[in-house]
Amino acid sequence: MRIYSAIQPTGCITIGNYIGAIKNWLALQDDNECIFSIANQHALTVRQDPQEFRARTLSFFAQFLACGLDPEKSVLYVQSHVHQHSELQWILSCMTYIGELDRMTQFKDKSRKNEDNINAGLFTYPVLMAADILLYKADMVPVGKDQKQHLELARDIAVRFNNRYGETFVVPEPYIAKQGAKITSLQNPLEKMSKSDKDQNATVSIIDPPDVIMRKFKRAVTDSDNRIVFSEDKPGISNLLSIYSAFTGETIEEAEKTFEGKGYGDFKLAVGSAVADALLPVQKKYEEYLSDKAELERIMKAGAEKASYLAERTLQKVKKKVGFIVS
Ligand code: TRP
């Protein structure tokens, strides 16, 4: 199976991304042909400070490696290093209707949130995402709920192209992870933990130092009674139980037993240290990768070359099909 997914270098990689996405990717990379990218062209739809943007892209790449994504097993690269993405995007944008893009709920959301920067890139963003996926003939795309509509559009574009020009693209399926808890904000447990949340206390980054992790869990919102049980009317406690379970391997039921009769204060400290401990090896590797920029850039470049090779094969085919003169 060919698998493709990507993450934007904005905000930080949270424990929610780690549990919900990266851990699944790790499980997939042994038995599949996986391609994972840092979607920095997508991130440019929001204003970025160039220096910070560059540093964050590098940092995200190092975090991929530190988590265990393996450049020997998977293709790991940065989107802007592979020029074929924008080239295919142009061709695909000529077969995508304004009406389709106008229906994208994320575009509507983001427009509302960035009223002073509703740029054309924000509007055509799903076409770039379709190009990402279709270039590599991905069979499966692991995505969160918020990206389902974009994946649907990628499928529609693939089918449309194939009908018009003959079989070219693989029509990708969404990949739904068998398990994987949804991690919500520590400050508003009814909302997904968002990597770009402005409230620092709402999210935990996988590279937050242990004392910061402890502080954030200490401040986590809980609820009024004092029972540590997983239930719909206790979103804060349930979220902490999910996090604890994901980082220790204990089931939710086992975790409930572990904390029976304990107070919220002790519970929050225990969750914090479970997370901090589990992340320590990742953080150590992260520091190692970051301390050798030349090696990091070498790995990045090698990944881009592999990706480019695959992407170019598809792009050549597409150019021929649409009637561009190719040598
Ligand atoms: N848009 C995705 C997000 O914000 C990131 C992304 C870019 C992506 N290209 C992709 C995800 C291709 C899956 C496949 O989460």
Side-chain angles (χ1 to χ4, degrees):
M1 224 42 120
R2 175 74 64 82
I3 313 248
Y4 188 95
S5 200
I7 194 164
Q8 293 188 56
T10 50
C12 61
I13 299 183
T14 69
I15 53 172
N17 300 127
Y18 184 70
I19 299 301
I22 295 182
K23 277 208 147 178
N24 289 319
W25 298 1
L26 291 174
L28 288 167
Q29 72 175 348
D30 289 324
D31 306 316
N32 299 278
E33 252 182 276
C34 294
I35 304 167
F36 300 121
S37 90
I38 310 271
N40 61 339
Q41 289 176 297
H42 278 102
L44 199 59
T45 54
V46 174
R47 281 193 198 99
Q48 302 286 347
D49 170 76
Q51 236 170 329
E52 252 176 51
F53 189 31
R54 194 177 298 114
R56 184 168 286 128
T57 304
L58 206 65
S59 165
F60 269 48
F61 196 79
Q63 289 177 65
F64 268 20
L65 299 172
C67 288
L69 292 174
D70 181 350
E72 301 295 321
K73 292 180 188 162
S74 304
V75 177
L76 309 175
Y77 73 102
V78 173
Q79 188 183 32
S80 65
H81 287 163
V82 180
H83 61 80
Q84 287 86 351
H85 290 249
S86 329
E87 279 190 70
L88 182 61
Q89 185 199 5
W90 175 255
I91 297 171
L92 298 183
S93 72
C94 298
M95 353 198 133
T96 307
Y97 300 106
I98 296 273
E100 291 178 300
L101 295 176
D102 221 18
R103 279 199 291 278
M104 295 291 126
T105 55
Q106 192 171 71
F107 171 67
K108 290 183 209 164
D109 270 5
K110 287 194 177 173
S111 304
R112 230 176 287 121
K113 286 185 195 145
N114 298 287
E115 268 179 7
D116 60 336
N117 188 18
I118 307 177
N119 60 73
L122 206 56
F123 191 62
T124 58
Y125 170 121
V127 188
L128 179 59
M129 183 161 155
D132 295 347
I133 297 165
L134 301 182
L135 265 182
Y136 299 96
K137 302 190 187 285
D139 301 295
M140 296 275 212
V141 182
V143 281
K145 248 211 301 221
D146 61 326
Q147 297 298 319
K148 282 260 176 66
Q149 199 185 22
H150 293 161
L151 186 58
E152 265 314 305
L153 180 66
R155 288 167 54 86
D156 291 345
I157 296 172
V159 169
R160 187 172 304 150
F161 190 101
N162 289 349
N163 286 340
R164 200 173 294 170
Y165 296 106
E167 219 41 41
T168 309
F169 292 126
V170 171
V171 182
E173 299 284 339
Y175 172 85
I176 317 287
K178 284 183 207 76
Q179 46 150 18
K182 263 186 218 69
I183 305 300
T184 59
S185 156
L186 296 189
Q187 290 302 314
N188 177 5
L190 292 173
E191 268 179 25
K192 177 181 152 191
M193 185 180 283
S194 156
K195 59 209 273 286
S196 4
D197 199 317
K198 299 231 161 54
D199 180 355
Q200 299 279 326
N201 286 319
T203 58
V204 176
S205 158
I206 61 168
I207 54 169
D208 274 343
D211 60 316
V212 174
I213 295 179
M214 293 306 288
R215 195 177 64 228
K216 289 181 177 178
F217 278 102
K218 266 188 227 162
R219 293 185 186 160
V221 167
T222 49
D223 40 33
S224 49
D225 73 42
N226 229 350
R227 290 162 32 251
I228 300 170
V229 290
F230 193 97
S231 100
E232 214 174 302
D233 61 345
K234 295 168 73 71
I237 292 297
S238 301
N239 187 39
L240 293 176
L241 279 166
S242 299
I243 294 172
Y244 183 82
S245 149
F247 279 91
T248 58
E250 275 183 36
T251 63
I252 298 285
E253 293 74 29
E254 285 165 350
E256 285 174 339
K257 284 226 180 68
T258 305
F259 294 107
E260 218 174 270
K262 300 251 163 68
Y264 281 172
D266 288 344
F267 173 52
K268 290 202 269 186
L269 288 182
V271 180
S273 40
V275 172
D277 288 353
L279 289 175
L280 228 45
V282 171
Q283 298 183 347
K284 201 166 152 255
K285 279 197 211 127
Y286 170 71
E287 292 305 331
E288 279 167 26
Y289 279 114
L290 263 200
S291 68
D292 189 352
K293 291 255 163 63
E295 173 64 3
L296 196 57
E297 277 168 17
R298 189 196 62 75
I299 299 172
M300 211 179 237
K301 204 170 148 217
E305 269 165 24
K306 284 190 208 162
S308 264
Y309 173 79
L310 296 170
E312 184 58 26
R313 283 204 311 206
T314 308
L315 186 63
Q316 282 296 325
K317 226 183 261 171
V318 168
K319 284 182 173 173
K320 250 187 236 153
K321 295 235 170 149
V322 301
F324 286 174
I325 297 169
V326 290
S327 50

